[in-house]
Amino acid sequence: MEKINMTDLTILILVRLDSISRLQNILIVSDFLCSHLSAEIHIREASSFNNGILARLLSNSVIYEWVEDNSPILHKTKHFNKMLARVDTKFVSIWDADVLCNMKYVDQCIEKLRNNEADMALPYNGVCLDTSEIIKELFYNSHDISIFEKYYQFMQRLNQHRLVGGAVIMNTEVFKRLGGENESYYGWGDDDFDRYIKFMNNGKKIFRTNNILFHLSHERGVNSNYSSKVREYLSKAELYKTIHTIP
């Protein structure tokens, strides 16, 4: 299989292995990306203990790092900014550890970015479907994305909102100039919407493909939902501020 040339792209993935499903998913995602793209893939594992399992199982072509993080809540935005600071490619992607899509749509996004027709590009239309464990297993045995495309009608939407995160590709310089991730978001929350609205409010060009994003099923713990009602309120309040900020 010929890889798509994306040597001008760095893909950032943050993971915390809080279940066996999470481990399986990051291996599926990293293997799929490595087999289809000639991009730099940087995976950061943040946890309180380094068991070395993920490092041993990942492809040698992946740039992997483990960092100590003793907080039960994963401060995603802070970790991504640390990773972003070391990116020197023209384009950067923030990619969820549990999502996949047809790579031809990633190629469409990169072409739009290269031609200065977009500053942010999303390889899906806002619809993200949860695969279910059964369909995920079918994919695991074949590594053929058409499995998901064939059985999508049997999947449930991950969220009824039109989503703007999970797989986002941006012009690195523009993203850094806009401040990168908003570290006021602590844990699971509205950081994806914040990033998208920040680009939109600053008049940046945003492109979407007409495609579906697939979410690999896993158990949902404290880092897959608002960790508390207070955190939910703070997240919504921060998003409100971003929506009403005049550049």
Side-chain angles (χ1 to χ4, degrees):
M1 181 189 300
E2 186 176 351
K3 294 184 181 182
I4 304 172
N5 178 17
M6 294 194 182
T7 53
D8 50 358
L9 171 67
T10 299
I11 299 174
L12 306 179
I13 303 176
L14 175 68
V15 65
R16 173 167 291 176
L17 301 179
D18 52 10
S19 68
I20 295 298
S21 291
R22 286 280 201 184
L23 174 60
Q24 183 186 43
N25 289 356
I26 185 60
L27 293 175
I28 291 172
V29 169
S30 62
D31 286 349
F32 189 81
L33 293 175
C34 285
S35 64
H36 288 81
L37 307 178
S38 60
E40 184 172 295
I41 300 170
H42 181 180
I43 295 176
R44 170 180 278 214
E45 180 184 0
S47 62
S48 59
F49 173 70
N50 185 8
N51 56 30
I53 293 174
L54 185 56
R56 289 195 295 272
L57 295 175
L58 285 171
S59 165
N60 291 331
S61 62
V62 170
I63 298 172
Y64 165 82
E65 66 169 335
W66 174 84
V67 294
E68 185 175 5
D69 185 344
N70 294 308
S71 172
I73 305 300
L74 187 60
H75 196 165
K76 297 191 307 172
T77 51
K78 185 174 182 178
H79 281 291
F80 275 125
N81 277 342
K82 298 258 186 209
M83 298 168 77
L84 177 65
R86 301 202 299 270
V87 172
D88 57 10
T89 51
K90 188 171 182 180
F91 307 114
V92 62
S93 173
I94 290 184
W95 198 280
D96 192 274
D98 304 287
V99 301
L100 284 177
C101 69
N102 192 315
M103 290 294 104
K104 72 179 182 181
Y105 297 103
V106 174
D107 196 23
Q108 282 185 20
C109 289
I110 286 291
E111 285 306 307
K112 290 289 184 181
L113 288 159
R114 286 173 179 160
N115 294 331
N116 295 317
E117 297 175 48
D119 302 297
M120 169 188 281
L122 297 99
Y124 75 114
N125 59 9
V127 175
C128 183
L129 300 179
D130 192 62
T131 61
S132 79
E133 290 292 344
I134 293 173
I135 301 175
K136 184 175 80 170
E137 186 173 340
L138 289 175
F139 172 82
Y140 186 71
N141 291 328
S142 67
H143 288 266
D144 185 351
I145 198 72
S146 67
I147 294 289
F148 292 153
E149 295 169 335
K150 180 179 180 180
Y151 295 111
Y152 76 92
Q153 69 269 30
F154 298 107
M155 302 178 191
Q156 299 292 318
R157 285 186 70 155
L158 191 67
N159 194 301
Q160 293 307 308
H161 294 294
R162 189 174 186 232
L163 299 179
V164 294
V168 185
I169 309 168
M170 297 161 284
N171 180 296
T172 305
E173 182 182 348
V174 171
F175 186 36
K176 287 182 176 180
R177 195 163 61 239
L178 292 178
E181 294 287 84
N182 182 349
E183 294 185 20
S184 295
Y185 294 95
Y186 180 69
W188 194 92
D190 297 291
D191 45 298
D192 292 330
F193 292 105
D194 188 286
R195 183 193 313 117
Y196 184 89
I197 290 166
K198 188 162 52 178
F199 269 74
M200 191 171 60
N201 283 356
N202 282 274
K204 302 306 176 184
K205 295 170 291 210
I206 300 173
F207 169 75
R208 276 189 182 275
T209 69
N210 186 23
N211 180 46
I212 295 172
L213 190 68
F214 299 102
H215 177 266
L216 305 177
S217 297
H218 62 82
E219 299 91 334
R220 303 189 70 81
V222 68
N223 287 298
S224 300
N225 290 288
Y226 294 111
S227 58
S228 68
K229 283 294 182 183
V230 171
R231 286 293 172 196
E232 181 178 3
Y233 173 81
L234 292 173
S235 180
K236 298 299 182 187
E238 188 63 31
L239 184 62
Y240 180 88
K241 282 166 51 181
T242 297
I243 291 171
H244 292 89
T245 296
I246 301 174

